[in-house]
Amino acid sequence: MPNKLPPSRLSHASDSQTPLARWGWSRGLSGLFSVGVLLVCELSSASADAPEKEPRYNVLFIISDDLTSTALSCYGNTVCSTPNIDRLAAKGTRFTRAYCQGTYCGPSRASFLTGYYPHATGVLGYNSPRDAIGDRSTWPQHFKNHGYYTARVSKIFHMGVPGGIEAGTDGSDDPASWTERFNSPGPEWKAPGDGETLEGNPDGKKPVVGGNTFVVVEADGDDLVHSDGKTAAKACELIEQHREKPFFLGVGFVRPHVPFVAPRSYYEPFLPYSSMSLPEKIAGDWDDIPRAGINYKTSTNMKMDVRRQKKAVGGYYASVAFVDAQVGKVLNALEKAGLEDETIVIFTSDHGYHLGEHDFWAKVSLHEESALVPLIVRVPGQEPAVCRSLVELIDLYPTVASLCGLDVPERLQGQNIRSLLEDPTASIRDAAFCVNGRGFLLREDRWAYIQYGEQAENGMELFDMRKDPQQYTNLAGKPEYQPVVEAFHQKMAAKLEAVRANDLGRN
C-alpha cells in the first residue's frame, strides 16, 4: 500500500511546486529514494529558521437538516440516544451556544458557506448565493483553490426536501465549489410502510402527503432504501477513494427534516408514542409577544391534538436516531482509513427546531429552540472540551481555513474562533446575530433581544436568559427595562450597518 501523507503535509498553493508534491508520496519509498539527491539539495537550501507551517488537515463537514441540539443525548436528552454523535463530542469541542444566521435552510446555508450574513448577500430565500458573491470563493471552493479534492454528498447548499430528494436534483447548489458532487435520491413520504399525516388532518381522513408537512412513516426496508443511508454509503466510499490526498468532504443528511421517514427499527425505542413527553404549556404564553413573534407552525394552526403532537416528537426522534447511525458509519470509515489524526471533523445543523415549546413547531422563529444549533468540532491533537462562548456558524469558514494553514480572506464576516478550540474557557463574541424573514435576534450572555422590522416597527421581545431561559416572559414592554431595550435598539442598528458594510456592493 502506498505511503500516506503525514499530518505535517503543507497547505499553501505554492506547495504544489515542492519536490514532494511534484513526485508524490504515492510512489512509495522507492520513489523517494530515486529522487533522494534532488530532495537533499532542494531541502537543504531552505532556511533553517523558516517557521513551521500548519498541518494540511482533511475536513469532514457533516450537517443534519432541521436538528435541534436538545434532541441529542450529548446535549442532555435522556430519551433520544445518539451514541455516534456523542462519541464525536467526547473527542472534540462541543459548543453549547452556537447560533445559526438564518432560522430556515436557504439563508443559513448560504451564509456559512459564503462567509457573509444574509443581509449582506441579500439571500433570504432559497436561491444560490453565487450571483451575490461573484467570483469570490465559498468555503469549500477556498479549499478547492488550494489543491483540495472537494465533494458534497446530498444537501450542503439548499436543496428542497422532500421534493428535491425525490427527484435527485441539485437544488441551489454551487458547482464551482466542488470537484465532484453526488445526490442521494430517496422515496421520502412515498416509502412503503405505515404512515400518517399529522398536520391539518384532525379527522384522520387525509392520506400520507408530500411537501413541508408533518408526516410520520415507519418505513419498510433497510437504511439504503433512504436518502441518508445512500449519503452515508457514498461518503464512506469517497473517504476510502481519496485517503491519499487532502479532501474537503461535505456530507449532508436530510433528516430529521419532515417527512419523518426512517426504517421502522428506529421507531421502536419511542413506542408507544403516548409515552413521549411534551414541553410544559403556559397559559397565555403568547399574550406578551408581538403577532410577528408567533411562529408559522403552531399546534393550533396545524390542528394537532396531543396524540399527534406526541407522535410528532417520536417521529422526529426516530429520524434523529437514523441520522446518528449514518454519522457512525462515516466516522467508522474515517477510522478504518487511518485518517482520524489527519482530519478535522465538524458536526452541526443549519438551524434549530421547535418540538412544541410555546406550542410552536418546526423552524423560522427567533426563539432559542430555533436559533440555537448543535456544533461539535474535533481537531486532531486537541483535548475534548465543552465551550460555552457565543459563536456563529459563519465563524466556521475563517476558523477551519486557519486551522488548515490557508489564508483567511479579510472580507469574511465571520470570526476566527480557533482560540476557543485551544482554550474553551475564552470568549470571542459579545453577541450572536440571527435573522428570519421578519426580524432580527441579538443574543448576549444574559439577554436575548428580538425586534421585528428594521426599526422594530412590528414589535420587540426581551428575555432575561439567566432568570427565564425558556423565554416565557417578554420584558420589552415593562417600563423598568426600557434602558435595556433602547440600548439593544442602538446595538441592532449598529450591527445591521456593520453587516451591510461589505465588499459586495449591496449597501
Side-chain angles (χ1 to χ4, degrees):
M1 176 179 167
N3 291 337
K4 301 201 318 297
L5 280 169
S8 59
R9 55 193 177 185
L10 303 182
S11 64
H12 298 279
S14 60
D15 294 340
S16 64
Q17 300 305 311
T18 64
L20 295 181
R22 286 205 300 268
W23 285 89
W25 284 84
S26 61
R27 295 179 178 240
L29 288 175
S30 61
L32 288 177
F33 285 127
S34 68
V35 296
V37 174
L38 174 62
L39 284 171
V40 170
C41 292
E42 293 206 29
L43 293 177
S44 64
S45 66
S47 169
D49 298 325
E52 183 178 350
K53 294 180 180 178
E54 298 286 354
R56 195 179 197 190
Y57 295 121
N58 303 312
V59 178
L60 174 58
F61 175 66
I62 305 173
I63 184 167
S64 182
D65 202 348
D66 287 18
L67 176 63
T68 175
S69 60
T70 60
L72 305 177
S73 43
C74 58
Y75 280 88
N77 193 298
T78 59
V79 177
C80 186
S81 176
T82 51
N84 295 293
I85 298 170
D86 292 359
R87 68 176 161 119
L88 178 62
K91 295 180 179 181
T93 298
R94 179 172 63 85
F95 290 86
T96 63
R97 294 197 296 178
Y99 289 83
C100 64
Q101 277 50 78
T103 55
Y104 49 109
C105 303
S108 174
R109 291 168 184 264
S111 177
F112 68 70
L113 287 163
T114 62
Y116 291 98
Y117 289 105
H119 281 75
T121 61
V123 179
L124 290 165
Y126 301 98
N127 51 307
S128 167
R130 179 52 66 182
D131 288 345
I133 67 171
D135 60 0
R136 298 164 184 82
S137 296
T138 65
W139 179 22
Q141 186 182 8
H142 190 55
F143 280 74
K144 179 182 174 185
N145 292 345
H146 284 77
Y148 276 66
Y149 167 81
T150 64
R152 70 141 177 94
V153 187
S154 195
K155 184 176 179 178
I156 302 296
F157 287 86
H158 182 259
M159 184 180 290
V161 181
I165 301 303
E166 296 169 54
T169 51
D170 291 331
S172 299
D173 188 44
D174 179 58
S177 293
W178 313 108
T179 309
E180 291 189 283
R181 48 200 184 134
F182 304 90
N183 297 330
S184 303
E188 297 294 271
W189 60 281
K190 297 176 183 177
D194 297 324
E196 181 183 6
T197 295
L198 303 179
E199 177 180 352
N201 190 23
D203 60 7
K205 294 180 180 180
K206 183 183 291 186
V208 174
V209 298
N212 189 30
T213 308
F214 273 48
V215 168
V216 170
V217 180
E218 300 171 31
D220 300 332
D222 62 13
D223 294 8
L224 287 173
V225 171
H226 304 280
S227 175
D228 286 347
K230 295 174 183 176
T231 294
K234 175 55 71 172
C236 294
E237 177 186 319
L238 292 176
I239 288 170
E240 176 61 29
Q241 288 177 354
H242 298 277
R243 60 191 296 178
E244 302 298 338
K245 63 176 293 187
F247 61 76
F248 182 110
L249 179 58
V251 181
F253 295 117
V254 297
R255 297 283 85 82
H257 194 293
V258 294
F260 304 138
V261 180
R264 64 174 69 247
S265 62
Y266 292 98
Y267 289 86
E268 291 172 3
F270 311 110
L271 298 176
Y273 295 118
S274 60
S275 67
M276 294 294 100
S277 297
L278 295 172
E280 182 182 5
K281 309 294 185 182
I282 302 297
D285 192 12
W286 298 354
D287 292 352
D288 62 351
I289 63 174
R291 183 172 182 178
I294 299 174
N295 207 33
Y296 82 118
K297 284 185 182 285
T298 70
S299 300
T300 302
N301 66 25
M302 295 169 75
K303 298 180 174 63
M304 290 205 307
D305 59 14
V306 169
R307 181 191 73 81
R308 290 175 174 84
Q309 291 176 46
K310 290 189 172 186
K311 185 167 183 177
V313 172
Y316 185 92
Y317 285 170
S319 296
V320 173
F322 178 45
V323 166
D324 180 75
Q326 310 319 305
V327 170
K329 295 174 186 177
V330 178
L331 296 179
N332 290 344
L334 193 72
E335 294 175 13
K336 182 179 178 183
L339 295 177
E340 264 202 310
D341 291 338
E342 300 177 28
T343 306
I344 294 171
V345 182
I346 302 157
F347 177 83
T348 192
S349 179
D350 48 1
H351 45 74
Y353 208 76
H354 282 281
L355 291 173
E357 303 88 359
H358 309 286
D359 257 345
F360 295 169
W361 296 86
K363 49 213 173 189
V364 180
S365 99
L366 290 169
H367 281 236
E368 198 80 350
E369 294 83 6
S370 185
L372 190 70
V373 296
L375 177 62
I376 301 166
V377 180
R378 187 190 69 83
V379 179
Q382 292 191 347
E383 293 296 316
V386 175
C387 181
R388 294 177 173 82
S389 172
L390 294 162
V391 296
E392 299 180 348
L393 288 184
I394 201 173
D395 299 333
L396 289 173
Y397 184 165
T399 302
V400 179
S402 172
L403 287 166
C404 292
L406 278 61
D407 62 287
V408 179
E410 292 184 5
R411 59 183 173 80
L412 299 180
Q413 295 185 314
Q415 295 191 31
N416 184 350
I417 61 169
R418 177 177 181 167
S419 62
L420 299 180
L421 299 168
E422 298 162 353
D423 178 9
T425 65
S427 181
I428 295 289
R429 291 184 171 277
D430 295 326
F433 176 66
C434 182
V435 306
N436 66 8
R438 302 185 300 271
F440 311 90
L441 164 70
L442 276 178
R443 173 65 159 92
E444 291 187 350
D445 179 57
R446 178 176 178 179
W447 305 101
Y449 170 76
I450 303 169
Q451 72 174 45
Y452 299 100
E454 294 267 342
Q455 302 300 324
E457 64 271 18
N458 295 318
M460 295 174 290
E461 298 178 48
L462 177 70
F463 300 99
D464 186 335
M465 299 302 293
R466 294 178 188 170
K467 298 179 179 179
D468 181 24
Q470 274 72 49
Q471 300 181 311
Y472 288 131
T473 303
N474 179 14
L475 304 173
K478 296 184 179 297
E480 61 268 36
Y481 290 96
Q482 290 316 296
V484 179
V485 171
E486 181 55 33
F488 268 109
H489 189 62
Q490 293 177 17
K491 290 177 184 178
M492 188 68 77
K495 180 64 178 181
L496 287 170
E497 183 179 359
V499 165
R500 289 167 170 146
N502 56 69
D503 68 325
L504 298 178
R506 299 182 60 87
N507 296 343

